Amino acid sequence: MKTLIKLEITRTLRNKKFMFFSVAYPAILYVVIAGGASKAEIVKGTHLTLPLLMMVSMASFGAITAVLVGNSERIAKEREKGWVRQLRLTALPGRGYVAAKIASAAVVSLPSILVVFIVAAAAKGVRFDGVWQWFALTGVIWAGSIVFAALGVAIGYLVTGDAVRPVTFIVYFGLSILGGLWMPTAVFPDWVQSIAKWVPTHAYAALGQAIEQGNAPHLKDVALMVAYGALFAGAAAWLYRKDTHKS
């Protein structure tokens, strides 16, 4: 399993296109969206300025890009090419294959978070009262990305190699927009806001936003992330077993 994890990490880091969209793209979006925003004006419906709000949003968006898009496409294509079937003939347990995918995605998701933070601090002068908030933000966003890594695994086993990209991007952009990662949910109609509050990306961003305000994450958001994590992991495990029986 260690060998496969090392192989997955090396292959991920060599994929320049994927690295750009996972690491650089969220930071570029941050500058585009928050570049001309005031450092003092509070965004409607929040207690944060736009530079602070979008810092968490784009760091979360980058982490999701790394773990969701990377996992789903790679797994679907490896199933199609027979690589997964070959691995099943080895002593590698199924959980080892999934762990390798999550580990390689996590290696990329961490730099995507840190780059957004560095750009926010350098370009918009983002600062916190306590250094602990930077570490807490990094830990929460990085750990929360595991939920979407499990979703990526589930999608990879659910659809074919030809269909994986459109399906992944529909889920990816849908969750990002509805969860308020690209714009505050306060600008949505009331009925959309009522739905958005139960979307995993909304809870994911809310964890970081609470830390930015110097507070502990809300229990509801933590519970939602745990529930979605269990749901996606359970779906991934079931689909993996189903795929095994097909083979």
Side-chain angles (χ1 to χ4, degrees):
M1 187 171 72
K2 290 180 180 179
T3 302
L4 182 61
I5 290 175
K6 183 179 179 180
L7 175 64
E8 288 293 334
I9 291 173
T10 302
R11 187 170 65 168
T12 299
L13 294 176
R14 286 177 178 173
N15 189 332
K16 295 179 181 178
K17 184 186 294 185
F18 178 70
M19 289 294 292
F20 171 79
F21 282 102
S22 299
V23 179
Y25 183 54
I28 294 171
L29 277 180
Y30 174 82
V31 173
V32 171
I33 297 172
S38 169
K39 298 180 182 179
E41 185 178 353
I42 301 298
V43 178
K44 180 183 176 182
T46 73
H47 299 286
L48 300 168
T49 62
L50 188 62
L52 280 171
L53 184 69
M54 294 313 299
M55 186 180 77
V56 163
S57 294
M58 288 299 103
S60 301
F61 177 68
I64 292 173
T65 303
V67 299
L68 175 58
V69 178
N71 272 340
S72 61
E73 290 196 20
R74 199 169 293 125
I75 289 173
K77 290 177 180 178
E78 287 179 355
R79 285 173 54 225
E80 197 171 65
K81 292 178 180 178
W83 174 240
V84 175
R85 189 182 301 111
Q86 287 296 113
L87 287 176
R88 290 197 183 108
L89 299 177
T90 70
L92 179 74
R95 64 180 180 276
Y97 174 78
V98 175
K101 293 298 181 186
I102 294 176
S104 63
V107 167
V108 180
S109 69
L110 182 58
S112 70
I113 296 166
L114 296 178
V115 168
V116 171
F117 287 175
I118 292 169
V119 170
K124 297 300 297 181
V126 171
R127 300 290 186 274
F128 293 116
D129 294 334
V131 178
W132 69 269
Q133 286 168 285
W134 289 109
F135 289 102
L137 274 175
T138 303
V140 163
I141 296 175
W142 197 22
S145 68
I146 295 173
V147 172
F148 300 97
L151 176 59
V153 173
I155 294 174
Y157 278 106
L158 181 64
V159 299
T160 63
D162 291 333
V164 66
R165 180 163 293 183
V167 170
T168 299
F169 275 86
I170 288 171
V171 173
Y172 168 64
F173 285 115
L175 289 178
S176 297
I177 295 170
L178 191 57
L181 299 187
W182 285 17
M183 65 189 76
T185 56
V187 304
F188 296 158
D190 291 341
W191 68 272
V192 178
Q193 290 185 45
S194 64
I195 296 173
K197 291 178 181 178
W198 298 98
V199 172
T201 40
H202 185 276
Y204 185 37
L207 298 178
Q209 290 165 10
I211 292 172
E212 284 187 321
Q213 296 172 50
N215 303 322
H218 297 296
L219 183 59
K220 175 189 172 184
D221 296 320
V222 175
L224 276 174
M225 290 298 288
V226 171
Y228 274 112
L231 175 65
F232 296 152
W238 181 76
L239 289 166
Y240 175 82
R241 287 195 296 270
K242 184 179 178 182
D243 189 69
T244 302
H245 295 326
K246 282 183 181 178
S247 301

